[in-house]
Amino acid sequence: MDILEIIQFAFVQKAFIAGSFVALLCSVLGLFLVLQRLSLIGDGLAHVSFGAIAMGLFFGLYPIYFAIPVVILASVFILKLVKKGRFSGDAAIGIVSSAGIAGGVILASLSNGFNVDLFSYLFGNILAISSAEMYFSIFLSVVVLAVIYLFYYDLFSITFNEDYAKTTGIKTERINSLLVVLTAITVVLAVKVVGVMLVSSLLILPAVTALQLKRSFKATIFISAVFAVFSVIIGIILSIILNIPAGASIVMCNFFVFILAFLLRNRS
Amino acid sequence: MKKRIIFLILAVAALLAFVWMLNYRVISNKNGEKLSVVATLFPYYDFAKIVGGDKAEVSLLLPPGIEAHSFEPKPSDIFKINSADIFVYTGDFMEPWAKDILIGINNKKLSVVKAGDVVSLLNGSDEGLGSGADPHIWLDLLNSENIVDGILTAFVKKDPQNSDFYIQNAHNLKNELKDLDNSFKAGLSNCQTKTLIYGGHYAFGYLVKRYGLNYLAAQGFAPDSEPTARDLANLINELKKNNVGYVFYEELSSPKIAETISEETGAKLLLLNTAEKITKEDLNNNVSFIDIIKEDLVNLKTGLGCQ
């Protein structure tokens, strides 16, 4: 089968569409997170959602509805550790995510096993996206991007100088909470659509790549989004040509784009 | 204020979980009369329960929903094996953690049944799936009869006084397996298609070989490998070619891949249970291996369009 034939399959087209929107969403959100030194929050919150899903199953509740509030609480807790407790971002994320995964393991064992394979429900695969999930990822992207657009100047100001932002009357605490809550929702829901590896890499790589180019902040957001979407499309095409898993192929594309940008920066 | 209430609720929830756990922990471990058997996977557990009847206390080591490859034994599991008379598992290729436990424990009376040693193994390279043996040995019903014999040998060795009882039970079970094998042969002899399309991991290699079917699965032996776009496109094309219109999915795992294929082709979903794992409800309701495989035969006949 040649590539043109494979691209005509609906599941491949859904991967292009949903993948591009998730990339857009994560790359914009990721830029603020990277600059706030919270790059690994995606990974950390995915671990917490494992614990939360286990908790939901343990109490017999529908796990994903239970996971969203718990992961939001965890993300706010990470923020508190950083801002109030003066822990560094990586330590704060480490504290919360290790407790999350350990809690999940204990609950899974206490309930003497669940009726389902937890991981298979928790983590999606970009090639197995239902139509509903595709529309949902478009919806989520629009909501998150709209919130970022509305609060753009507040977010921008806090990201670069929080103390100054405070003196200009911005409610820094609220805006920071908004950022991590959006991240928490994205992690729980986008991970279910495209998988944890893709979400956490799309939160970090396009942002750091765009930052290598040292443009204005608005331009950096734009470049980050372009790189992310480009990597998804090229990554899927390459995965078809080389017959390799699509998620990993997208991550490697992002990585190579980053290396290129890094070399370019060092040369100039 | 709101935050405090949320924290309070969480604290109460944690406390409730703790109390529940305390109630759950007390496991009685006194069955001096009965043979104590520990089996890793559901088929072995079920066979040992039938052979042992009321003269054995059989426990299933892997909790429902846990993959055999990635299972991590708890201290109480090791304790259980340490005080058991018989331990049944597949082999190091399926339960890699078992070897370490068996070396580590100090149980001189333990008789180990290695199911992989008493059956004829299919090799991965013969199935086009890389190296190593295909671990889903119980899905060849002839193999399952051998496994029953292996378990029987251990029972007779441990408790020779009741050997007639065990031999009779094993004999009945093997007859049932033989009957089931015959109904598979008869049921799958006249079908519209011989190709089984499976949206899960490659588990039915033994079964398809025994009944002369073709088999296309989305994943390899291990459930955590990821299919490529080409793999999925091949499955979809194959499904479009044979016009029965069913795709099979795996038990206790997210049917996402099968659903993707179904959305693409309009094929209907049918469960094909590997019997490796079992739900808590089925375990409590005493659903047997034979019940599960019979169910599979019904779905196979529908899915392959058999007369």
Side-chain angles (χ1 to χ4, degrees), chain A residues 1 9-11 14 58 73 109-115 117 120-121 127-128 130-131 133 192 240 243-245, chain B residues 6 20-21 24 63-65 74 228-230 232-234 236-237 252-254 256 260 263-264 279-281:
Chain A
M1 245 184 296
F9 283 96
F11 77 91
K14 276 185 239 165
F58 186 80
L73 276 181
S109 159
L110 276 186
S111 63
N112 270 324
F114 298 123
N115 281 337
D117 182 5
S120 74
Y121 277 91
L127 293 180
S130 68
S131 300
E133 282 175 330
K192 200 166 157 31
I240 295 170
N243 199 20
I244 52 178
Chain B
I6 291 169
W20 198 80
M21 172 187 89
Y24 222 81
K74 289 177 299 196
T228 67
R230 197 173 292 261
L232 289 180
N234 280 334
I236 288 164
N237 273 348
L252 299 186
S253 188
S254 163
K256 273 196 112 165
T260 301
E263 237 182 83
E264 187 92 34
T279 65
K280 254 158 109 173
E281 284 87 33

